[in-house]
Amino acid sequence: MSFINYASREINCKIVYYGPGLCGKTTNLQFIYSKTAPEAKGKMISLATETERTLFFDFLPLALGEIKGFKTRFHLYTVPGQVFYDASRKLILKGVDGVVFVADSQEERMDANIESIENLQINLKEQGYELNKLPFVIQYNKRDLPYVIPVEEMRQELNMMNVPDFEACATTGEGVFETLKAVAKLILIDLKKGK
Amino acid sequence: MATPQMIMYEDEFKQLNTVLEKLLREANAKVIFLVDKNGQLISGVGETERFDTTSLASLTAGNIAATGGLAKLIGEKEFSILFHEGEKDNLHISIVGGRVILVVLFDSRSSLGLVRLRVKKASEELAAVFDRLAQRAEEREKGGDGDFPFAEITDDDIDNLFS
């Protein structure tokens, strides 16, 4: 649910990065943070455990520029991926405008990907959203690693809705901005329809 | 959608700020923020430049969401007031009209009792403004919207953001 402020002439939108534990959601945000000009970004906040696993969320505010005289701001959040943090994941989906699903391309993580995308659908439904009505993109991360599943196979398992999808390597940044741009664009197109 | 889109108009924005400024004075607070439950900062008065307001808004909303989760677990609807006591500064966080979060930062020049008292009164006034906003949103939904500026966004506008 975007927030349009006529007084300060701003549009604020919320993007949530979802996916199984250790798939690279936080790494996506860290790369975006490192490559964004200082004036376009706010402080990145990570609520993480001592072993750097996301405990509640990561948060990164970005200012993209102006549309029709309104400053567009995107608030990027990640959820904790570990299965047992489900209660926290649900909270972060509140008021979401667009979702990025980050899938781990490694063979042994395919079951975790499927479980996580099903969990995403369930949790969205609890908040009154339908995944197929939300701006949604998929990222196949860790393409640089050995023993990855072919993209075509991952697409069949995860991208049933045929949404925009991207290959990525979040540590080097490949595909990271493409993913972000795609979801931001879908959100703005939704906004145009006055949703 | 779970919640309708929030739109803030200039009239209501001014009214909110008037209430906040009054609360700032009467409660002897340092700074006051109004935050949407989804983590978007709506407005702030007082020494706002000293704080990273965007982060503050997001963490406050996370805090309220987590506490709300706890409340549900023990069978409460929500905890409508949170209080954090620091060595010098304190935070009084409360939910207004079930929808927005009011954050009051104060130090030893004020007291919890005074803040609670003033917040209670200001909350009613703030809730009334948000009721009006909700009404305007409903009317907009029903009547279609002639002056909605984003209906005119072109693909080029969107592409330009990323160039």
Side-chain angles (χ1 to χ4, degrees):
Chain A
M1 185 208 59
S2 51
F3 170 36
I4 303 173
N5 190 334
Y6 281 84
S8 56
R9 302 199 77 77
E10 281 178 11
I11 321 166
N12 290 290
C13 305
K14 177 171 178 177
I15 299 174
V16 174
Y17 282 69
Y18 211 93
L22 291 169
C23 69
K25 302 173 288 294
T26 303
T27 313
N28 261 273
L29 258 63
Q30 283 166 341
F31 185 81
I32 294 165
Y33 183 80
S34 70
K35 294 291 172 200
T36 307
E39 63 275 12
K41 68 185 173 193
K43 212 159 103 186
M44 180 165 164
I45 289 181
S46 288
L47 303 178
T49 66
E50 284 171 1
T51 51
E52 291 188 12
R53 298 282 75 83
T54 303
L55 179 62
F56 194 6
F57 59 77
D58 302 302
F59 169 68
L60 174 61
L62 286 182
L64 277 187
E66 290 197 2
I67 281 194
K68 300 273 168 221
F70 280 73
K71 281 174 248 161
T72 54
R73 292 182 196 279
F74 287 90
H75 290 177
L76 276 45
Y77 285 83
T78 68
V79 297
Q82 274 68 19
V83 175
F84 50 87
Y85 289 134
D86 200 39
S88 310
R89 266 196 297 280
K90 284 180 196 173
L91 300 176
I92 294 152
L93 284 174
K94 276 187 184 174
V96 64
D97 293 303
V99 178
V100 174
F101 184 82
V102 182
D104 190 327
S105 299
Q106 298 175 94
E107 248 173 54
E108 66 270 24
R109 295 299 287 164
M110 202 55 205
D111 287 344
N113 288 330
I114 294 168
E115 189 184 351
S116 178
I117 208 165
E118 283 171 357
N119 175 259
L120 167 65
Q121 278 168 320
I122 293 166
N123 284 344
L124 279 173
K125 214 166 229 168
E126 269 186 36
Q127 309 278 348
Y129 296 101
E130 293 283 346
L131 186 56
N132 56 14
K133 289 186 186 144
L134 267 182
F136 177 47
V137 303
I138 297 178
Q139 180 186 82
Y140 309 115
N141 193 21
K142 308 198 185 182
R143 296 311 298 172
D144 56 320
L145 295 184
Y147 310 114
V148 294
I149 301 179
V151 167
E152 214 31 66
E153 222 170 284
M154 293 191 77
R155 201 169 268 151
Q156 268 177 20
E157 292 278 4
L158 300 170
N159 196 359
M160 264 85 86
M161 290 186 274
N162 216 1
V163 296
D165 53 4
F166 303 87
E167 293 184 46
C169 168
T171 46
T172 60
E174 201 184 316
V176 168
F177 274 98
E178 288 79 355
T179 310
L180 173 64
K181 279 179 195 175
V183 72
K185 200 166 171 175
L186 290 177
I187 291 173
L188 292 169
I189 291 170
D190 247 20
L191 198 66
K192 180 176 162 179
K193 293 181 208 147
K195 274 188 187 170
Chain B
M1 282 289 152
T3 39
Q5 188 174 53
M6 166 116 127
I7 298 179
M8 177 64 66
Y9 299 96
E10 294 206 23
D11 297 347
E12 278 80 3
F13 190 69
K14 275 188 200 146
Q15 291 163 10
L16 287 176
N17 278 337
T18 310
V19 179
L20 293 182
E21 294 278 2
K22 193 170 104 190
L23 177 61
L24 186 78
R25 278 193 314 273
E26 292 186 344
N28 233 352
K30 283 172 114 170
V31 52
I32 297 179
F33 297 105
L34 207 52
V35 178
D36 180 54
K37 268 195 174 175
N38 302 321
Q40 324 269 19
L41 180 74
I42 298 169
S43 185
V45 297
E47 307 164 21
T48 49
E49 66 290 338
R50 280 184 46 213
F51 299 93
D52 176 355
T53 50
T54 314
S55 301
L56 202 135
S58 145
L59 285 175
T60 308
N63 194 351
I64 282 286
T67 327
L70 281 176
K72 286 209 177 71
L73 284 181
I74 64 161
E76 279 289 325
K77 191 168 151 263
E78 64 183 11
F79 294 124
S80 53
I81 295 176
L82 308 180
F83 175 59
H84 299 304
E85 188 176 302
E87 273 180 24
K88 279 188 269 156
D89 291 331
N90 315 296
L91 277 177
H92 182 281
I93 304 175
S94 54
I95 301 173
V96 174
R99 170 71 193 272
V100 292
I101 305 165
L102 178 66
V103 186
V104 180
L105 191 143
F106 65 98
D107 60 15
S108 56
R109 287 173 293 172
S110 183
S111 69
L112 178 59
L114 178 68
V115 170
R116 279 190 78 151
L117 181 75
R118 301 298 189 201
V119 159
K120 203 171 171 197
K121 187 154 168 283
S123 292
E124 288 165 14
E125 294 172 36
L126 292 171
V129 180
F130 280 103
D131 281 348
R132 279 200 292 281
L133 271 178
Q135 216 175 339
R136 277 184 85 158
E138 226 169 82
E139 280 163 19
R140 189 180 82 90
E141 202 115 297
K142 265 189 233 149
D145 193 17
D147 61 352
F148 188 61
F150 306 107
E152 313 272 298
I153 294 178
T154 62
D155 286 354
D156 282 347
D157 286 334
I158 295 175
D159 285 333
N160 284 340
L161 275 186
F162 298 103
S163 56

